[in-house]
Amino acid sequence: MNGTEKTITITPHPGRVRVTVGGAVVAETSRALALAEAGYPLRLYIPRQDVVMAAFTRSKTVTQCPWKGEASYFSAGEVENAAWSYELPFAKVAAIRGHFSFYPDRAAIEELAN
């Protein structure tokens, strides 16, 4: 990490979440994590076990976050970089390891009734 600390909180998200890309369900879970980071909208992270991994291909895009680590990106069909994952996140955010998050302009993220 760099010398500047940033407040990031990760908490269990109450309720059930469904994610669709191009009309196809690509994830559904009641085990999402909510990541709150100053200056960014709340992001939900869904365990890979609850993601239809066959719907995704790893893209060549990789980015570096000074607070979370290296993010790998995944495309679903024609939707490029619809999701990302921190496969080896920094210790402070280790809870998001093995989780996917989705861009709300590329995937529909829906709250379901329990």
Side-chain angles (χ1 to χ4, degrees), residues 8-110:
I8 297 174
T9 59
I10 301 169
T11 56
H13 178 72
R16 192 158 190 78
V17 177
R18 178 182 295 146
V19 180
T20 57
V21 176
V25 175
V26 295
E28 190 167 324
T29 191
S30 59
R31 303 181 303 146
L33 297 175
L35 184 142
E37 178 178 2
Y40 293 94
L42 183 78
R43 297 289 188 202
L44 297 180
Y45 281 78
I46 296 176
R48 280 184 186 227
Q49 300 93 322
D50 298 336
V51 174
V52 180
M53 292 303 295
F56 291 92
T57 56
R58 184 182 294 268
S59 80
K60 293 179 182 178
T61 304
V62 175
T63 60
Q64 185 69 35
C65 172
W67 299 282
K68 294 186 292 287
E70 184 178 276
S72 298
Y73 290 77
F74 297 82
S75 299
E78 300 296 316
V79 182
E80 289 188 36
N81 299 331
W84 70 90
S85 179
Y86 288 93
E87 295 172 347
L88 296 171
F90 295 140
K92 185 175 181 179
V93 294
I96 63 172
R97 183 178 185 169
H99 288 66
F100 262 39
S101 194
F102 299 87
Y103 283 107
D105 63 335
R106 300 174 195 177
I109 304 164
E110 175 185 11

